[in-house]
Amino acid sequence: MASLKHVLCLCLSAWTITAADNVPKAEKLKWDSLDFKTIIKWTTEDSDHKYTVSFSSDGDDWRESQDCIRMSDSECDLTGDLVPYDRAYTADIQTEPEIVNYDEDLENYPHTYSDPFNPYRESNISAVNITVEAMDESSVMVNITDPLTGIHTRGKQLSIRDVFRNDLKYKISYYKSGSTGKRDVISDSSTAEVSKLDAGESYCFMAAAFIPSRPKRSQQGAWSQEWCIPGGGNILHELNLGVWVAIIFILLTVFFIIVTVTVLCCKCCRQRNSTQLSAPV
């Protein structure tokens, strides 16, 4: 009897392993991270199987992401799990059967592991916003507003400055209108003065977050939109095609209204004069 039970257990174990071998596993794992909102994505064959995501940092114990247990989706938002940020994290995507038989060992089902990812050093940084104010004929003040991150702490959404602190610098790039040469300035502060400009010349400015402590390929964030000043020091934000079309449309509308009102007034005056001339004396 004991030997029969042993044989049955071996057969069940072999069947479980065979069934697990036929389960579609997660493939092409990819980290997608912008401003510390970090998502692990993968591809898989269409099936009714479920996926559970675990993560580990620097060789620590594996922990399941509470929002990504037995899920049908092929991506998992790990933003709130990857704390502290300056660590290398690895994700584990395990495929599981649609209906769980708790007598079988789920560890026999396939695991797929991601490459390590460090949010602090690798998360992409979006564009900052800038404004430019003329100080005098040869200098301007560039004001930079940081983008917000996907991190919330105690009800507050953190900016990239809150996360990077003193590691965050800014690269300001500017050029003279009509010139192909650009100059770069590195600033520690979100308010930076750019001086020694040629008086009376037009200039355009851009800025980007810059983190020199990162690997070179991820040191710089996306560039802001250009902000241009014409010669003479008056500030003029670069207007795109849509804005110019709107301005022209408004001017044409006002012009036609003025013409229409003028024509109507002339007609009324003519009718009044005609009536007065035709009246008996």
Side-chain angles (χ1 to χ4, degrees):
M1 186 67 180
S3 60
L4 178 60
K5 183 177 180 181
H6 179 68
V7 170
L8 289 174
C9 288
L10 289 176
C11 289
L12 179 60
S13 176
W15 178 85
T16 301
I17 293 174
T18 302
D21 288 340
N22 295 325
V23 170
K25 65 184 298 185
E27 297 179 337
K28 299 180 180 178
L29 272 63
K30 180 181 72 171
W31 292 99
D32 187 349
S33 184
L34 178 64
D35 298 330
F36 291 91
K37 183 174 179 62
T38 304
I39 299 172
I40 184 71
K41 298 181 177 180
W42 62 92
T43 61
T44 186
E45 299 176 9
D46 291 336
S47 70
D48 294 327
H49 289 83
K50 305 297 183 182
Y51 302 93
T52 293
V53 180
S54 302
F55 61 95
S56 175
S57 65
D58 298 332
D60 291 343
D61 293 338
W62 290 93
R63 290 176 290 165
E64 290 183 345
S65 175
Q66 295 304 307
D67 295 327
C68 302
I69 297 175
R70 292 189 53 76
M71 59 188 301
S72 300
D73 296 334
S74 56
E75 63 178 50
C76 171
D77 188 343
L78 291 172
T79 302
D81 295 315
L82 307 187
V83 180
Y85 319 118
D86 195 7
R87 285 189 180 181
Y89 291 90
T90 303
D92 167 26
I93 317 299
Q94 183 181 19
T95 309
E96 299 177 355
E98 181 182 16
I99 300 175
V100 176
N101 179 0
Y102 291 99
D103 292 332
E104 65 178 318
D105 187 0
L106 291 180
E107 285 303 311
N108 290 324
Y109 284 84
H111 294 254
T112 307
Y113 298 93
S114 72
D115 292 329
F117 179 79
N118 184 317
Y120 192 86
R121 298 181 180 276
E122 299 180 69
S123 184
N124 294 318
I125 305 300
S126 59
V128 299
N129 291 317
I130 68 168
T131 59
V132 182
E133 300 176 6
M135 304 296 292
D136 52 45
E137 290 185 349
S138 61
S139 64
V140 298
M141 187 67 72
V142 180
N143 301 296
I144 302 171
T145 303
D146 297 318
L148 296 174
T149 70
I151 300 170
H152 293 76
T153 301
R154 298 176 182 176
K156 175 189 175 184
Q157 186 174 8
L158 303 186
S159 69
I160 59 171
R161 170 63 70 183
D162 295 324
V163 177
F164 288 117
R165 298 182 181 273
N166 293 334
D167 282 345
L168 177 61
K169 320 291 182 186
Y170 303 96
K171 181 180 288 188
I172 300 169
S173 181
Y174 64 98
Y175 64 92
K176 187 192 304 184
S177 179
S179 172
T180 57
K182 290 187 176 182
R183 298 178 182 178
D184 291 336
V185 175
I186 304 299
S187 172
D188 293 336
S189 170
S190 59
T191 303
E193 182 178 352
V194 180
S195 58
K196 298 182 179 179
L197 304 177
D198 294 337
E201 295 289 344
S202 300
Y203 283 87
C204 289
F205 298 81
M206 294 188 302
F210 183 64
I211 306 98
S213 61
R214 281 181 153 200
K216 191 171 183 179
R217 62 184 174 82
S218 61
Q219 285 181 345
Q220 184 175 308
W223 284 109
S224 69
Q225 290 188 342
E226 281 189 343
W227 189 294
C228 299
I229 57 171
N234 294 322
I235 301 302
L236 175 65
H237 193 282
E238 182 184 22
L239 300 178
N240 59 34
L241 180 61
V243 176
W244 282 116
V245 170
I247 291 174
I248 293 172
F249 176 78
I250 292 171
L251 291 176
L252 288 174
T253 302
V254 172
F255 174 75
F256 283 121
I257 290 173
I258 292 173
V259 170
T260 302
V261 171
T262 303
V263 170
L264 291 176
C265 288
C266 289
K267 284 185 177 180
C268 288
C269 289
R270 287 175 184 174
Q271 288 177 357
R272 188 179 301 113
N273 292 335
S274 177
T275 302
Q276 289 175 354
L277 290 172
S278 60
V281 180

